[in-house]
Amino acid sequence: MATLLLRSILRPTYTMRCPPLTKHLCKLDGGNSFRCTLVTSTRLLCEATEEEKANEERDPTKDRSKVIPVETSMKYMKSKAYQSTYGSDPVWKKYRRNFKGAFAPRKTRKTCIRANMIATGNPCPICRDEYLVLHHRNVDLLKQFISPHNGEVLPYGKTNVCQKRHRELTVAVERARDMGLLTFDVPFREYDYSEYYSPEENAGKSAA
């Protein structure tokens, strides 16, 4: 008798009967799955699963699921929009990191984008602008991250890009150099070849 009374109390108001409480999923009309959680002894609260949450509207300013072609990025680097935003300075010049305390951490964050969405309020100079594509053909962008003194890639402590973008930047620079799109200096060394000859050969060459 007590079991029948409990079933009548816990039965949901839907036309279909839910499975036992040991099973947390119940199928309803339309193919939607709900997680049924026992709130009190008199009612059930059905919450939407992650599938329904994924269908919610995404913030277009933080959405990074769209792939921008490198040709579009190259045109953007020469456009008026880029000049009005960055001017003649590199894209990382006016960027400032947010950190706790008086001294910045030694390393930047691992990544700014998670699940194709910006997961931080202050993304790095590359992640904040979706039209800045790191590619070996986008030479104008790569040159901004190369030191004019030694030709090396600037460290992330200076450019403040995240770890993931810094690795992509290093790979893009090396590919551009391999394909001849970026020039770099090769050290020229002079050798005294007389040190590699025997004394007899050196005496014969000096006599000749």
Side-chain angles (χ1 to χ4, degrees):
M1 184 67 181
T3 305
L4 295 176
L5 180 61
L6 181 60
R7 286 182 179 178
S8 61
I9 294 176
L10 297 180
R11 183 176 299 173
T13 58
Y14 303 111
T15 57
M16 297 181 61
R17 295 184 60 184
C18 290
L21 295 179
T22 55
K23 297 181 180 180
H24 298 284
L25 294 179
C26 58
K27 297 292 183 178
L28 299 179
D29 292 338
N32 297 327
S33 58
F34 288 78
R35 185 176 69 253
C36 297
T37 307
L38 181 63
V39 177
T40 61
S41 60
T42 59
R43 62 176 183 156
L44 290 174
L45 177 64
C46 297
E47 299 176 348
T49 58
E50 296 180 357
E51 297 179 359
E52 189 170 300
K53 293 180 180 179
N55 295 329
E56 295 180 356
E57 185 178 358
R58 301 165 67 93
D59 188 359
T61 60
K62 297 183 178 182
D63 188 9
R64 291 297 182 269
S65 59
K66 181 181 178 181
V67 178
I68 305 298
V70 63
E71 293 81 8
T72 305
S73 179
M74 295 169 64
K75 293 179 181 178
Y76 170 70
M77 296 291 297
K78 300 177 182 179
S79 64
K80 295 181 180 179
Y82 175 84
Q83 294 296 331
S84 62
T85 304
Y86 301 101
S88 59
D89 297 328
V91 296
W92 52 267
K93 186 71 174 179
K94 299 180 181 179
Y95 178 81
R96 294 295 180 269
R97 291 173 60 187
N98 291 341
F99 54 87
K100 184 179 180 179
F103 302 98
R106 188 176 65 87
K107 287 187 177 182
T108 56
R109 64 174 63 92
K110 293 183 179 180
T111 180
C112 303
I113 300 175
R114 301 181 186 276
N116 295 328
M117 292 286 291
I118 293 180
T120 177
N122 188 28
C124 73
I126 298 296
C127 294
R128 67 180 177 179
D129 194 342
E130 59 181 341
Y131 289 98
L132 297 178
V133 180
L134 293 174
H135 196 272
H136 62 271
R137 292 169 53 192
N138 199 356
V139 181
D140 294 337
L141 179 61
L142 299 181
K143 287 181 179 179
Q144 299 182 10
F145 294 88
I146 298 178
S147 174
H149 305 289
N150 55 8
E152 297 294 332
V153 179
L154 295 174
Y156 49 78
K158 184 178 182 63
T159 60
N160 295 319
V161 297
C162 60
Q163 300 290 310
K164 181 179 180 180
R165 296 300 184 183
H166 184 75
R167 291 192 296 268
E168 295 178 0
L169 172 66
T170 305
V171 173
V173 170
E174 293 299 329
R175 287 182 177 177
R177 288 174 176 174
D178 291 341
M179 296 183 180
L181 301 177
L182 281 178
T183 58
F184 58 97
D185 297 332
V186 178
F188 181 77
R189 299 178 181 178
E190 296 183 356
Y191 297 93
D192 185 7
Y193 293 99
S194 62
E195 298 177 356
Y196 298 92
Y197 295 101
S198 61
E200 294 80 7
E201 294 177 350
N202 287 335
K205 289 184 178 181
S206 58

